[in-house]
Every structure is written in C-alpha cells, then in structure tokens.
Amino acid sequence: MNNDVCFIINSKNLYIDEYLVEMNIPIFFICKDDDNNKYAVLCEDTSELEYLICRVSIDSLYKMLKNELTLYDFIHESDEKWILKSGDSLETDLVEEVGELEPAYYPKKNEFLALNNEKICDYINRIQSECSEAFSENNSIELQKMILTTLTRFKTTVSKSNKEYNFFRNSVKQKYNLKLSLVGGVYL
C-alpha cells in the first residue's frame, strides 16, 4: 500500500498492507515486512495508541477475510505476538513480546470480520494470488523432494534387484557348466 514504516518489531520494518477497519484512526489493519510476512494489527486502546500485533500466515489471513476463520482464532493461532505502546517516534515505541495474551486482548469468540466492500474484495483477490504463489512454490519444492526420493528408492531397488539377479545368474552358472552359444543374437 505504501512504503512508510509504521512499526519496528524485532528490527523488522512493518509497512501498511491494507486497512480493514478505520474510524478516526485505523483500528484493525494488516502490515507486512520486507520479506512480505504478514502481521495483523489491532488497536486495543485508541486514546493511548496501544496495539496488539500478531504475525499471521497468508493462509489464515485469507481464511479470516473469507469468513472461514473467526477473529478470535485468527489472533489465537499466531505464534508470535507483541503489545506495542506508541511513543513519540518509532524509536520510542515500547514493544513487548507476549507468549499468552490476557483474555481482554482477544476479540469475542465466534465473531467474523464480515466485511464485503470493493476494497476488501480486491484485497482478498490479492491475498488469494499470494496464497497461490506460496502454494505453488511450496508444492514445487515438495515435488522436487518427492521426485528425488522416488529416484533414489528406484535406483536402490534396481541396484538391489541387479545384485540379486547377478547372484542368481552366477549361482546357476556355477551349478551348470553352460557353453556360450548364440541364440537370436544374445549370448547365453
């Protein structure tokens, strides 16, 4: 959306990706870092500008936007969460990483975002394409691993079969002294 840094978390710059809910100030929005990781930002206290920031997966973001995931579950699923109290500048913001949030920080259970305007629909389409890209990249890597594993197993099986065949063939030759003869272009 823009390239202005709005927060700094663990030495990573966070930029606004999309505003989802705004009143006088943004209440609920999505940020991204330089690696395109997504962060959900929820303004918990509008007078003190205290924010809950959660690193979220692109998949959970998509599901939340499509109302397939509740807001509570969307926040709860995040493994990385911070409380940020806004200072006079980015450098004076107070950032605290939290493991388990107090219940007051979570949205109510069974609530969905339930937004359906053109801006959100466009954002859903953009996230969907990012999901598809991430899915195809992950699948490409998984497919390469699967092919290498299969080839390795096949080579091992063929090698093992060849050894067993050679052993069988050689043991048959040792029991029976066969003369080499040409049969249809193949020496036996």
Side-chain angles (χ1 to χ4, degrees), residues 102-160:
E102 296 176 24
Y105 281 101
Y106 285 106
K108 291 180 183 174
K109 290 186 177 185
N110 300 322
E111 285 187 347
F112 294 90
L113 184 60
L115 294 176
N116 194 14
N117 59 40
E118 188 177 333
K119 181 176 89 165
I120 296 300
C121 290
D122 290 344
Y123 188 57
I124 289 171
N125 290 334
R126 188 165 45 118
I127 293 300
Q128 184 176 15
S129 70
E130 286 182 33
C131 277
S132 297
E133 289 171 15
F135 179 75
S136 66
E137 285 174 13
N138 289 340
N139 278 350
S140 176
I141 291 169
E142 290 303 314
L143 182 61
Q144 289 173 6
K145 287 179 184 175
M146 185 180 75
I147 289 170
L148 286 174
T149 302
T150 304
L151 288 175
T152 303
R153 285 184 186 153
F154 180 72
K155 183 178 178 184
T156 303
T157 303
V158 167
S159 177
K160 183 178 177 185

Side-chain angles (χ1 to χ4, degrees), residues 20 60-67 113 120 123-124 127:
L20 301 175
S60 67
L61 175 58
Y62 178 74
K63 286 179 180 175
M64 184 272 301
L65 290 170
K66 295 289 285 180
N67 292 323
L113 184 60
I120 296 300
Y123 188 57
I124 289 171
I127 293 300

Side-chain angles (χ1 to χ4, degrees), residues 19-23 25-29 113 115 119:
Y19 294 112
L20 301 175
V21 178
E22 298 177 78
M23 297 216 178
I25 62 169
I27 302 297
F28 184 46
F29 52 102
L113 184 60
L115 294 176
K119 181 176 89 165

